Each structure stands twice: as C-alpha cells, then as structure tokens.
Amino acid sequence: MVGLIKADLIDFTSLEESDWYEHLERYCAVHGIEAKDSLKETTAVALTPILSQCIETAGRFIDFDDMIWLPHQLNLVDSNKPTIPFVLVDEAQDLNVGQRKIILSSASRIAIVADERQAVYGFQGADVDSVRNFEEALSKRNLGLIRLPLNESRRCPQSLVPFVKPIVSDFAVYHTNVEGNIYLSKYADLTKNPHPYLGDPNDPKSRVLIV
C-alpha cells in the first residue's frame, strides 16, 4: 500500500486519518484488495509516520519506490529546468505518476511509445491514464504534440487479421508478412497431443501460431 501511495505522489503531510481512509478504500477497490475496516483504520493511522520515516532514513535505506518518490519529496524535480535535450520513452502506458513527472521535467523534447491496450502494470501503481496524461502535458508545450499511430504489425502473420479486427478495428499487418497458419483447438486437445499445434520440436523450421 505504501508503494502505491508513493507512485501516486500523494501529499501525505496534509492528510488526516479520515483522508487516508478514503484513499485506502479507493486502492482496495481498484486493486481488488480485501481488507477489514479495522485493518484499514490501523493502516490509516500508520501511513503518515511510515512515510515520514522513509524520508528521514533516505540516506541509509532506499528501495525501488524511493528512487522515484524521494526526488519529488526532496524537491529535486524541477520542471522549469530540463537538463536533457531529448528523451525517448518506451512502454509509456505502464508509468506511474511519479515516473511521468520526472520524465516531463527532465527534457525539453520527449517522444513516447505506448499501447494503451497493453497496460499491465496497474498492480505496481501504473497510471491507467498514463498515455492521455502524457499527451495533455506535451500538447501544452511550445513545440506542441504530434501523434503517429503505429498500428501496422511486422511480427504477426496475415492470417491473424480477421481474428483481431473485431477487437482492434485499426489493426493491420505489414504487406510483406508471411501468410502464416492458425490452428484452433481446445485446451484439452492441446494437453493430450501438443505436437500438431506446437510443431515438431526436432524441426527448427516448424512454426505454428496458436490463437
């Protein structure tokens, strides 16, 4: 829970116990955490002292969350003084609030690569609106924002398109991609005899895609 709070850069210094309880309710709902009210109340009381201690011991003990959180707490992140001319960020859909703000403050020009459909790091505090928030922030800069869709796959076979189109309407594959083979099977059939679906393990040229 402390890690999620750090990822969101919640200003803990001004929160009362009742405010913490509301945050805990939200985190439990979003992340599917089951906790009794008594545990939430106990946690709400402990959070401010725990976070304060994290700052006090920063010179001796730092974990991964602190590497992102502490620069904000120690006023080391200054959006008015970018020090890097250009930053390229991959998998930007999986960044949390603290990571995004560090990136936005570090460079005057930023390119992000992201796929909102592949956002899978919510369990560690990733911002579900990361891409939209990036676009909103970058569009306000003097250089503006240019969006370049990358919806043409160079790794998927042509035969996959009819299966994906109903789910991802703008999906396409590069014109030189192979036709490929798709075998539809039940899990029970696959576990009984996988070779017809997975290919011959002794044949390095044997490649089959399972959908």
Side-chain angles (χ1 to χ4, degrees):
M1 189 64 69
V2 171
L4 295 174
I5 291 167
K6 288 179 178 179
D8 279 347
L9 297 184
I10 294 177
D11 182 9
F12 69 95
T13 59
S14 61
L15 293 182
E16 302 294 334
E17 290 179 19
S18 58
D19 299 320
W20 274 128
Y21 193 88
E22 291 181 7
H23 282 294
L24 292 174
E25 288 272 78
R26 179 171 63 85
Y27 282 125
C28 287
V30 171
H31 297 282
I33 301 172
E34 296 183 4
K36 296 181 179 179
D37 289 342
S38 58
L39 178 59
K40 294 177 186 176
E41 292 170 359
T42 302
T43 305
V45 174
L47 281 172
T48 295
I50 289 174
L51 291 167
S52 297
Q53 187 177 24
C54 288
I55 294 178
E56 294 170 3
T57 60
R60 293 177 293 153
F61 306 104
I62 296 178
D63 64 10
F64 180 78
D65 294 328
D66 290 334
M67 294 180 188
I68 304 299
W69 180 70
L70 282 173
H72 295 280
Q73 302 304 314
L74 301 176
N75 298 316
L76 300 178
V77 181
D78 187 351
S79 59
N80 296 318
K81 295 181 180 180
T83 57
I84 303 172
F86 177 76
V87 168
L88 172 63
V89 184
D90 194 13
E91 305 292 359
Q93 76 278 354
D94 289 324
L95 299 183
N96 59 43
V97 176
Q99 292 169 325
R100 185 177 67 253
K101 288 191 174 182
I102 286 179
I103 291 169
L104 289 171
S105 66
S106 65
S108 53
R109 299 176 65 231
I110 300 172
I112 70 168
V113 182
D115 184 350
E116 294 169 284
R117 299 183 184 93
Q118 294 186 37
V120 295
Y121 279 83
F123 69 92
Q124 69 171 26
D127 180 8
V128 295
D129 295 318
S130 179
V131 176
R132 183 178 60 81
N133 289 330
F134 257 122
E135 290 181 330
E136 182 178 339
L138 293 174
S139 65
K140 295 177 181 178
R141 298 193 171 190
N142 294 332
L143 293 176
L145 172 70
I146 298 176
R147 187 181 180 113
L148 302 173
L150 296 174
N151 58 344
E152 192 173 62
S153 172
R154 290 177 179 258
R155 67 175 66 170
C156 296
Q158 304 282 348
S159 53
L160 188 62
V161 175
F163 291 91
V164 179
K165 276 283 188 182
I167 304 171
V168 184
S169 59
D170 60 347
F171 176 78
V173 298
Y174 198 59
H175 69 277
T176 59
N177 288 17
V178 299
E179 181 62 27
N181 297 313
I182 294 180
Y183 292 80
L184 300 179
S185 69
K186 295 181 180 180
Y187 179 74
D189 297 333
L190 179 61
T191 56
K192 290 179 181 178
N193 185 16
H195 287 177
Y197 308 99
L198 299 180
D200 184 352
N202 298 316
D203 182 2
K205 297 181 181 180
S206 177
R207 298 176 182 177
V208 179
L209 176 66
I210 300 174
V211 177

